[in-house]
Amino acid sequence: MAFGNVKPGDFRRNLIYNKDRTFAFVMPLGHVTDEWYANAAGAINWGFPTIADTPIPEVLPTGICTYEHVVSNIPHDQITAKAVEVRGLKVAVSEVPIPVSYGPAFEGERVRGEDIYLEAGGGRSPAVEWVTTGRMDQVEDGKVEVVGPELTDIQPPGLLPIAIKCEVAGREMQEDYEPILERQIHHLINYAQGVMHIGQRDIAWLRISKAAVEKGFRLEHLGKILHAKLHQDFGAIFDKIQVRVYTEEDKVKEIVEQARNVYAARDVRIEGMTDETTDIFYSCTLCQSFAPNHVCIISPERTGLCGAYNWMDCKASFEINTTGPNQPVQKGEIIDARLGQWKGCNEFLYKASRQNFDHYNFYSIVHDPMTTCGCCECIAAVLPLCNGIMTVNRDYLGMTPCGMKFTTLAGTVGGGVITPGFVGHGKYNITQRKFLSAEGGILRVVWMPKMLKDEIKERFIKRAEEMGVPDLLDRIADETVGETEEAILPFLEEKQHPALTMDPILEA
Ligand code: SF4
């Protein structure tokens, strides 16, 4: 005990030192005699649990050891994993076991045209990423399965649906942590050379290059990456992770449905909170690797523009990692309640954007809106002729009345800059009360793709009722009405869209 400087006979410090520093456990195999049992009881007093393969009496309550004291009757094929779990050992994978180079240097890499071996998602096929919590006995750490065609089963340029489902389990794991782990998938997969990843949730977009496949990269390596890196970065909150990559259309669609229900449940946790009821907002600078000056500040009524992080998620993320990308921001003195600007947020923004921006407004699209990065779920744009706003979601591939498709819009305004007249936002944010409230909120929305209207219909109607125009959704044009301002204006006039009688938007 020399290293611990524990004096003989100092029972308490001896126990604490061993429990916290010496990761030993007892594993008696076969019949346990009285003498063995007594020895195991002695080991417990050093903080070492016993995991046996025979049905000896268990001592399950925690107290002396980190977790249970004696766990028995464990089959041999499970006993190592059980010992790791009961002793509270943390798995660390020091190298990511994939056949291509791996690191942040490859994060912004693009896979284009001729180089594409596989494309999945991006509006061309269903794609989804989902982290969910499983039971300890149902999750096998490190297990990776590909269900459906692998890369070797297709010819380039191939198109597949994809669902990446990660099941995590752990003594410290909470449901609140799921979105945080899920949001890491984006950059962790991007670190692999020859793999391009954009988006999140059910709008993920993946491309794998021919060069990567030639070097031996397969879909199973997506799982290996997630297993290694999530353990490295978030091992404190979970103990086990298994990954399934589905590429069969029916199964992918089934998982999309399940995941969407979970996304909706996560989103509504924030319901009922308002920006006025808290003095603390949270930052998110996760996307600075792509857009170096971009800073999301997330308030209860303005979720992150990727749609993956709301105020609750950021709070949980800060609890896990107090020096991470989600920091509390004291909003401080209010500068403009209508536009949504606070002194504390401005000060934070100034530092976090490396002095590039000294202010932005949470609730406006016209007057210095928030910075936008390429991850956003939707981009809103002012339509001056219609005196309103349009918004388009990433998965809509067609033309929009502002004259640009989503990809062009994202390329133009998505680099982490403030672009008056354009702003990125999450789908859920459209139906939050503060959505572009400086310009009149949803009453200003004159065009949305039909698929987006359908997706948010229920919540939108509720919100429109609160705003006194219950049939607002029917008065909003979509691509079936037109894809230019001139084409949709007669429809808006016929429907007496409220935006047409509001103050001129550029002066709002
Ligand atoms: Fe964070 Fe914003 Fe990026 Fe979402 S878009 S991960 S909230 S910085």
Side-chain angles (χ1 to χ4, degrees), residues 55-83:
I56 59 173
E58 292 194 307
V59 186
L60 297 181
T62 57
I64 299 174
C65 299
T66 307
Y67 298 120
E68 293 83 11
H69 304 110
V70 179
V71 180
S72 71
N73 215 16
I74 306 295
H76 287 173
D77 61 344
Q78 293 165 26
I79 201 162
T80 316
K82 194 70 184 171

PDB file of all heavy atoms in Angstrom, residues 55-83:
ATOM      1  N   PRO A  55     -24.287 -21.291  -7.978  1.00  0.00           N
ATOM      2  CA  PRO A  55     -25.365 -20.540  -7.299  1.00  0.00           C
ATOM      3  C   PRO A  55     -25.088 -20.285  -5.819  1.00  0.00           C
ATOM      4  O   PRO A  55     -25.850 -20.712  -4.957  1.00  0.00           O
ATOM      5  CB  PRO A  55     -26.589 -21.435  -7.513  1.00  0.00           C
ATOM      6  CG  PRO A  55     -26.039 -22.810  -7.679  1.00  0.00           C
ATOM      7  CD  PRO A  55     -24.679 -22.686  -8.276  1.00  0.00           C
ATOM      8  N   ILE A  56     -24.004 -19.583  -5.517  1.00  0.00           N
ATOM      9  CA  ILE A  56     -23.741 -19.244  -4.107  1.00  0.00           C
ATOM     10  C   ILE A  56     -24.634 -18.069  -3.702  1.00  0.00           C
ATOM     11  O   ILE A  56     -25.123 -17.337  -4.578  1.00  0.00           O
ATOM     12  CB  ILE A  56     -22.247 -18.902  -3.885  1.00  0.00           C
ATOM     13  CG1 ILE A  56     -21.821 -17.720  -4.778  1.00  0.00           C
ATOM     14  CG2 ILE A  56     -21.378 -20.120  -4.130  1.00  0.00           C
ATOM     15  CD1 ILE A  56     -20.423 -17.203  -4.497  1.00  0.00           C
ATOM     16  N   PRO A  57     -24.874 -17.862  -2.408  1.00  0.00           N
ATOM     17  CA  PRO A  57     -25.749 -16.747  -2.004  1.00  0.00           C
ATOM     18  C   PRO A  57     -25.208 -15.405  -2.501  1.00  0.00           C
ATOM     19  O   PRO A  57     -24.014 -15.138  -2.384  1.00  0.00           O
ATOM     20  CB  PRO A  57     -25.701 -16.802  -0.469  1.00  0.00           C
ATOM     21  CG  PRO A  57     -25.266 -18.187  -0.152  1.00  0.00           C
ATOM     22  CD  PRO A  57     -24.395 -18.647  -1.268  1.00  0.00           C
ATOM     23  N   GLU A  58     -26.094 -14.619  -3.081  1.00  0.00           N
ATOM     24  CA  GLU A  58     -25.688 -13.322  -3.629  1.00  0.00           C
ATOM     25  C   GLU A  58     -25.755 -12.236  -2.561  1.00  0.00           C
ATOM     26  O   GLU A  58     -26.550 -12.333  -1.620  1.00  0.00           O
ATOM     27  CB  GLU A  58     -26.596 -12.940  -4.789  1.00  0.00           C
ATOM     28  CG  GLU A  58     -26.415 -13.848  -6.006  1.00  0.00           C
ATOM     29  CD  GLU A  58     -27.057 -13.285  -7.246  1.00  0.00           C
ATOM     30  OE1 GLU A  58     -28.264 -12.964  -7.173  1.00  0.00           O
ATOM     31  OE2 GLU A  58     -26.367 -13.155  -8.279  1.00  0.00           O
ATOM     32  N   VAL A  59     -24.935 -11.219  -2.700  1.00  0.00           N
ATOM     33  CA  VAL A  59     -25.015 -10.032  -1.835  1.00  0.00           C
ATOM     34  C   VAL A  59     -25.129  -8.852  -2.790  1.00  0.00           C
ATOM     35  O   VAL A  59     -24.128  -8.354  -3.315  1.00  0.00           O
ATOM     36  CB  VAL A  59     -23.767  -9.898  -0.926  1.00  0.00           C
ATOM     37  CG1 VAL A  59     -23.961  -8.743   0.051  1.00  0.00           C
ATOM     38  CG2 VAL A  59     -23.498 -11.199  -0.165  1.00  0.00           C
ATOM     39  N   LEU A  60     -26.375  -8.438  -3.075  1.00  0.00           N
ATOM     40  CA  LEU A  60     -26.594  -7.489  -4.162  1.00  0.00           C
ATOM     41  C   LEU A  60     -26.598  -6.006  -3.774  1.00  0.00           C
ATOM     42  O   LEU A  60     -26.195  -5.179  -4.578  1.00  0.00           O
ATOM     43  CB  LEU A  60     -27.900  -7.828  -4.905  1.00  0.00           C
ATOM     44  CG  LEU A  60     -27.885  -9.193  -5.594  1.00  0.00           C
ATOM     45  CD1 LEU A  60     -29.196  -9.438  -6.318  1.00  0.00           C
ATOM     46  CD2 LEU A  60     -26.719  -9.312  -6.578  1.00  0.00           C
ATOM     47  N   PRO A  61     -27.054  -5.653  -2.592  1.00  0.00           N
ATOM     48  CA  PRO A  61     -27.105  -4.205  -2.321  1.00  0.00           C
ATOM     49  C   PRO A  61     -25.712  -3.602  -2.430  1.00  0.00           C
ATOM     50  O   PRO A  61     -24.715  -4.254  -2.102  1.00  0.00           O
ATOM     51  CB  PRO A  61     -27.598  -4.122  -0.874  1.00  0.00           C
ATOM     52  CG  PRO A  61     -28.152  -5.444  -0.554  1.00  0.00           C
ATOM     53  CD  PRO A  61     -27.477  -6.426  -1.430  1.00  0.00           C
ATOM     54  N   THR A  62     -25.647  -2.391  -2.897  1.00  0.00           N
ATOM     55  CA  THR A  62     -24.343  -1.739  -3.021  1.00  0.00           C
ATOM     56  C   THR A  62     -23.996  -1.070  -1.702  1.00  0.00           C
ATOM     57  O   THR A  62     -24.839  -0.949  -0.815  1.00  0.00           O
ATOM     58  CB  THR A  62     -24.381  -0.687  -4.141  1.00  0.00           C
ATOM     59  OG1 THR A  62     -25.420   0.230  -3.829  1.00  0.00           O
ATOM     60  CG2 THR A  62     -24.653  -1.319  -5.477  1.00  0.00           C
ATOM     61  N   GLY A  63     -22.764  -0.662  -1.545  1.00  0.00           N
ATOM     62  CA  GLY A  63     -22.370   0.006  -0.308  1.00  0.00           C
ATOM     63  C   GLY A  63     -20.869  -0.011  -0.139  1.00  0.00           C
ATOM     64  O   GLY A  63     -20.225   1.026  -0.113  1.00  0.00           O
ATOM     65  N   ILE A  64     -20.311  -1.236  -0.084  1.00  0.00           N
ATOM     66  CA  ILE A  64     -18.853  -1.312   0.127  1.00  0.00           C
ATOM     67  C   ILE A  64     -18.133  -1.306  -1.216  1.00  0.00           C
ATOM     68  O   ILE A  64     -17.288  -0.465  -1.477  1.00  0.00           O
ATOM     69  CB  ILE A  64     -18.495  -2.560   0.958  1.00  0.00           C
ATOM     70  CG1 ILE A  64     -19.175  -2.466   2.315  1.00  0.00           C
ATOM     71  CG2 ILE A  64     -16.980  -2.664   1.134  1.00  0.00           C
ATOM     72  CD1 ILE A  64     -19.023  -3.675   3.189  1.00  0.00           C
ATOM     73  N   CYS A  65     -18.512  -2.237  -2.094  1.00  0.00           N
ATOM     74  CA  CYS A  65     -17.929  -2.231  -3.438  1.00  0.00           C
ATOM     75  C   CYS A  65     -18.616  -1.138  -4.259  1.00  0.00           C
ATOM     76  O   CYS A  65     -19.611  -0.555  -3.832  1.00  0.00           O
ATOM     77  CB  CYS A  65     -18.134  -3.587  -4.111  1.00  0.00           C
ATOM     78  SG  CYS A  65     -17.337  -4.933  -3.215  1.00  0.00           S
ATOM     79  N   THR A  66     -18.110  -0.901  -5.469  1.00  0.00           N
ATOM     80  CA  THR A  66     -18.716   0.137  -6.313  1.00  0.00           C
ATOM     81  C   THR A  66     -20.169  -0.223  -6.616  1.00  0.00           C
ATOM     82  O   THR A  66     -21.056   0.617  -6.540  1.00  0.00           O
ATOM     83  CB  THR A  66     -17.913   0.273  -7.628  1.00  0.00           C
ATOM     84  OG1 THR A  66     -16.554   0.471  -7.266  1.00  0.00           O
ATOM     85  CG2 THR A  66     -18.402   1.436  -8.465  1.00  0.00           C
ATOM     86  N   TYR A  67     -20.394  -1.475  -7.010  1.00  0.00           N
ATOM     87  CA  TYR A  67     -21.765  -1.929  -7.264  1.00  0.00           C
ATOM     88  C   TYR A  67     -22.060  -3.131  -6.359  1.00  0.00           C
ATOM     89  O   TYR A  67     -21.750  -3.076  -5.177  1.00  0.00           O
ATOM     90  CB  TYR A  67     -21.961  -2.234  -8.753  1.00  0.00           C
ATOM     91  CG  TYR A  67     -21.758  -1.008  -9.631  1.00  0.00           C
ATOM     92  CD1 TYR A  67     -20.780  -0.975 -10.615  1.00  0.00           C
ATOM     93  CD2 TYR A  67     -22.529   0.135  -9.447  1.00  0.00           C
ATOM     94  CE1 TYR A  67     -20.592   0.149 -11.407  1.00  0.00           C
ATOM     95  CE2 TYR A  67     -22.346   1.262 -10.229  1.00  0.00           C
ATOM     96  CZ  TYR A  67     -21.379   1.268 -11.212  1.00  0.00           C
ATOM     97  OH  TYR A  67     -21.207   2.382 -11.971  1.00  0.00           O
ATOM     98  N   GLU A  68     -22.600  -4.240  -6.920  1.00  0.00           N
ATOM     99  CA  GLU A  68     -22.959  -5.383  -6.087  1.00  0.00           C
ATOM    100  C   GLU A  68     -21.703  -6.026  -5.479  1.00  0.00           C
ATOM    101  O   GLU A  68     -20.596  -5.856  -5.991  1.00  0.00           O
ATOM    102  CB  GLU A  68     -23.705  -6.444  -6.909  1.00  0.00           C
ATOM    103  CG  GLU A  68     -25.070  -5.999  -7.382  1.00  0.00           C
ATOM    104  CD  GLU A  68     -25.018  -5.170  -8.651  1.00  0.00           C
ATOM    105  OE1 GLU A  68     -23.950  -5.115  -9.273  1.00  0.00           O
ATOM    106  OE2 GLU A  68     -26.029  -4.550  -9.002  1.00  0.00           O
ATOM    107  N   HIS A  69     -21.932  -6.837  -4.398  1.00  0.00           N
ATOM    108  CA  HIS A  69     -20.783  -7.457  -3.724  1.00  0.00           C
ATOM    109  C   HIS A  69     -20.527  -8.887  -4.193  1.00  0.00           C
ATOM    110  O   HIS A  69     -19.404  -9.258  -4.477  1.00  0.00           O
ATOM    111  CB  HIS A  69     -21.010  -7.451  -2.213  1.00  0.00           C
ATOM    112  CG  HIS A  69     -21.254  -6.074  -1.699  1.00  0.00           C
ATOM    113  ND1 HIS A  69     -22.468  -5.648  -1.239  1.00  0.00           N
ATOM    114  CD2 HIS A  69     -20.443  -5.017  -1.630  1.00  0.00           C
ATOM    115  CE1 HIS A  69     -22.386  -4.381  -0.883  1.00  0.00           C
ATOM    116  NE2 HIS A  69     -21.169  -3.976  -1.108  1.00  0.00           N
ATOM    117  N   VAL A  70     -21.604  -9.693  -4.245  1.00  0.00           N
ATOM    118  CA  VAL A  70     -21.458 -11.069  -4.748  1.00  0.00           C
ATOM    119  C   VAL A  70     -22.566 -11.315  -5.782  1.00  0.00           C
ATOM    120  O   VAL A  70     -23.750 -11.162  -5.479  1.00  0.00           O
ATOM    121  CB  VAL A  70     -21.571 -12.127  -3.616  1.00  0.00           C
ATOM    122  CG1 VAL A  70     -21.428 -13.543  -4.199  1.00  0.00           C
ATOM    123  CG2 VAL A  70     -20.517 -11.893  -2.542  1.00  0.00           C
ATOM    124  N   VAL A  71     -22.151 -11.668  -6.992  1.00  0.00           N
ATOM    125  CA  VAL A  71     -23.109 -11.989  -8.053  1.00  0.00           C
ATOM    126  C   VAL A  71     -22.805 -13.418  -8.468  1.00  0.00           C
ATOM    127  O   VAL A  71     -21.643 -13.760  -8.717  1.00  0.00           O
ATOM    128  CB  VAL A  71     -22.934 -11.029  -9.256  1.00  0.00           C
ATOM    129  CG1 VAL A  71     -23.933 -11.362 -10.348  1.00  0.00           C
ATOM    130  CG2 VAL A  71     -23.109  -9.586  -8.807  1.00  0.00           C
ATOM    131  N   SER A  72     -23.846 -14.258  -8.520  1.00  0.00           N
ATOM    132  CA  SER A  72     -23.547 -15.674  -8.730  1.00  0.00           C
ATOM    133  C   SER A  72     -24.312 -16.275  -9.895  1.00  0.00           C
ATOM    134  O   SER A  72     -25.195 -15.639 -10.476  1.00  0.00           O
ATOM    135  CB  SER A  72     -23.870 -16.444  -7.446  1.00  0.00           C
ATOM    136  OG  SER A  72     -25.254 -16.493  -7.275  1.00  0.00           O
ATOM    137  N   ASN A  73     -23.916 -17.503 -10.203  1.00  0.00           N
ATOM    138  CA  ASN A  73     -24.606 -18.309 -11.216  1.00  0.00           C
ATOM    139  C   ASN A  73     -24.542 -17.691 -12.622  1.00  0.00           C
ATOM    140  O   ASN A  73     -25.506 -17.746 -13.368  1.00  0.00           O
ATOM    141  CB  ASN A  73     -26.070 -18.491 -10.794  1.00  0.00           C
ATOM    142  CG  ASN A  73     -26.585 -19.858 -11.187  1.00  0.00           C
ATOM    143  OD1 ASN A  73     -25.774 -20.748 -11.500  1.00  0.00           O
ATOM    144  ND2 ASN A  73     -27.882 -20.036 -11.195  1.00  0.00           N
ATOM    145  N   ILE A  74     -23.418 -17.119 -12.949  1.00  0.00           N
ATOM    146  CA  ILE A  74     -23.269 -16.476 -14.262  1.00  0.00           C
ATOM    147  C   ILE A  74     -22.619 -17.475 -15.230  1.00  0.00           C
ATOM    148  O   ILE A  74     -21.556 -18.017 -14.940  1.00  0.00           O
ATOM    149  CB  ILE A  74     -22.371 -15.210 -14.159  1.00  0.00           C
ATOM    150  CG1 ILE A  74     -22.895 -14.245 -13.083  1.00  0.00           C
ATOM    151  CG2 ILE A  74     -22.252 -14.517 -15.511  1.00  0.00           C
ATOM    152  CD1 ILE A  74     -24.236 -13.637 -13.369  1.00  0.00           C
ATOM    153  N   PRO A  75     -23.266 -17.731 -16.402  1.00  0.00           N
ATOM    154  CA  PRO A  75     -22.675 -18.669 -17.363  1.00  0.00           C
ATOM    155  C   PRO A  75     -21.305 -18.180 -17.844  1.00  0.00           C
ATOM    156  O   PRO A  75     -21.046 -16.976 -17.873  1.00  0.00           O
ATOM    157  CB  PRO A  75     -23.672 -18.666 -18.524  1.00  0.00           C
ATOM    158  CG  PRO A  75     -24.879 -17.952 -18.038  1.00  0.00           C
ATOM    159  CD  PRO A  75     -24.513 -17.149 -16.850  1.00  0.00           C
ATOM    160  N   HIS A  76     -20.479 -19.134 -18.235  1.00  0.00           N
ATOM    161  CA  HIS A  76     -19.102 -18.780 -18.622  1.00  0.00           C
ATOM    162  C   HIS A  76     -19.034 -17.798 -19.774  1.00  0.00           C
ATOM    163  O   HIS A  76     -18.162 -16.950 -19.820  1.00  0.00           O
ATOM    164  CB  HIS A  76     -18.325 -20.050 -18.978  1.00  0.00           C
ATOM    165  CG  HIS A  76     -17.993 -20.843 -17.747  1.00  0.00           C
ATOM    166  ND1 HIS A  76     -17.430 -22.090 -17.796  1.00  0.00           N
ATOM    167  CD2 HIS A  76     -18.159 -20.572 -16.432  1.00  0.00           C
ATOM    168  CE1 HIS A  76     -17.260 -22.549 -16.565  1.00  0.00           C
ATOM    169  NE2 HIS A  76     -17.698 -21.639 -15.728  1.00  0.00           N
ATOM    170  N   ASP A  77     -19.983 -17.895 -20.737  1.00  0.00           N
ATOM    171  CA  ASP A  77     -19.887 -16.983 -21.882  1.00  0.00           C
ATOM    172  C   ASP A  77     -20.285 -15.543 -21.517  1.00  0.00           C
ATOM    173  O   ASP A  77     -20.138 -14.641 -22.309  1.00  0.00           O
ATOM    174  CB  ASP A  77     -20.741 -17.490 -23.063  1.00  0.00           C
ATOM    175  CG  ASP A  77     -22.223 -17.583 -22.710  1.00  0.00           C
ATOM    176  OD1 ASP A  77     -22.548 -17.549 -21.510  1.00  0.00           O
ATOM    177  OD2 ASP A  77     -23.046 -17.677 -23.638  1.00  0.00           O
ATOM    178  N   GLN A  78     -20.792 -15.358 -20.315  1.00  0.00           N
ATOM    179  CA  GLN A  78     -21.167 -13.996 -19.914  1.00  0.00           C
ATOM    180  C   GLN A  78     -20.340 -13.485 -18.734  1.00  0.00           C
ATOM    181  O   GLN A  78     -20.483 -12.333 -18.319  1.00  0.00           O
ATOM    182  CB  GLN A  78     -22.646 -13.970 -19.497  1.00  0.00           C
ATOM    183  CG  GLN A  78     -23.597 -14.237 -20.645  1.00  0.00           C
ATOM    184  CD  GLN A  78     -24.995 -14.564 -20.144  1.00  0.00           C
ATOM    185  OE1 GLN A  78     -25.394 -14.160 -19.055  1.00  0.00           O
ATOM    186  NE2 GLN A  78     -25.735 -15.307 -20.937  1.00  0.00           N
ATOM    187  N   ILE A  79     -19.487 -14.351 -18.185  1.00  0.00           N
ATOM    188  CA  ILE A  79     -18.902 -14.011 -16.889  1.00  0.00           C
ATOM    189  C   ILE A  79     -17.869 -12.870 -16.986  1.00  0.00           C
ATOM    190  O   ILE A  79     -17.774 -12.031 -16.095  1.00  0.00           O
ATOM    191  CB  ILE A  79     -18.325 -15.273 -16.194  1.00  0.00           C
ATOM    192  CG1 ILE A  79     -18.208 -15.002 -14.685  1.00  0.00           C
ATOM    193  CG2 ILE A  79     -17.003 -15.712 -16.789  1.00  0.00           C
ATOM    194  CD1 ILE A  79     -18.075 -16.257 -13.845  1.00  0.00           C
ATOM    195  N   THR A  80     -17.154 -12.802 -18.111  1.00  0.00           N
ATOM    196  CA  THR A  80     -16.168 -11.714 -18.239  1.00  0.00           C
ATOM    197  C   THR A  80     -16.884 -10.377 -18.319  1.00  0.00           C
ATOM    198  O   THR A  80     -16.528  -9.418 -17.612  1.00  0.00           O
ATOM    199  CB  THR A  80     -15.309 -11.920 -19.516  1.00  0.00           C
ATOM    200  OG1 THR A  80     -14.935 -13.279 -19.579  1.00  0.00           O
ATOM    201  CG2 THR A  80     -14.103 -11.028 -19.511  1.00  0.00           C
ATOM    202  N   ALA A  81     -17.915 -10.324 -19.177  1.00  0.00           N
ATOM    203  CA  ALA A  81     -18.654  -9.064 -19.326  1.00  0.00           C
ATOM    204  C   ALA A  81     -19.286  -8.665 -17.989  1.00  0.00           C
ATOM    205  O   ALA A  81     -19.304  -7.481 -17.618  1.00  0.00           O
ATOM    206  CB  ALA A  81     -19.729  -9.211 -20.399  1.00  0.00           C
ATOM    207  N   LYS A  82     -19.779  -9.670 -17.260  1.00  0.00           N
ATOM    208  CA  LYS A  82     -20.422  -9.376 -15.976  1.00  0.00           C
ATOM    209  C   LYS A  82     -19.401  -8.820 -14.979  1.00  0.00           C
ATOM    210  O   LYS A  82     -19.675  -7.888 -14.230  1.00  0.00           O
ATOM    211  CB  LYS A  82     -21.072 -10.663 -15.427  1.00  0.00           C
ATOM    212  CG  LYS A  82     -22.019 -10.422 -14.300  1.00  0.00           C
ATOM    213  CD  LYS A  82     -23.275  -9.720 -14.814  1.00  0.00           C
ATOM    214  CE  LYS A  82     -24.226  -9.351 -13.716  1.00  0.00           C
ATOM    215  NZ  LYS A  82     -25.316  -8.503 -14.198  1.00  0.00           N
ATOM    216  N   ALA A  83     -18.209  -9.422 -14.983  1.00  0.00           N
ATOM    217  CA  ALA A  83     -17.162  -8.973 -14.063  1.00  0.00           C
ATOM    218  C   ALA A  83     -16.769  -7.530 -14.381  1.00  0.00           C
ATOM    219  O   ALA A  83     -16.599  -6.696 -13.486  1.00  0.00           O
ATOM    220  CB  ALA A  83     -15.954  -9.892 -14.146  1.00  0.00           C
TER     221      ALA A  83
END
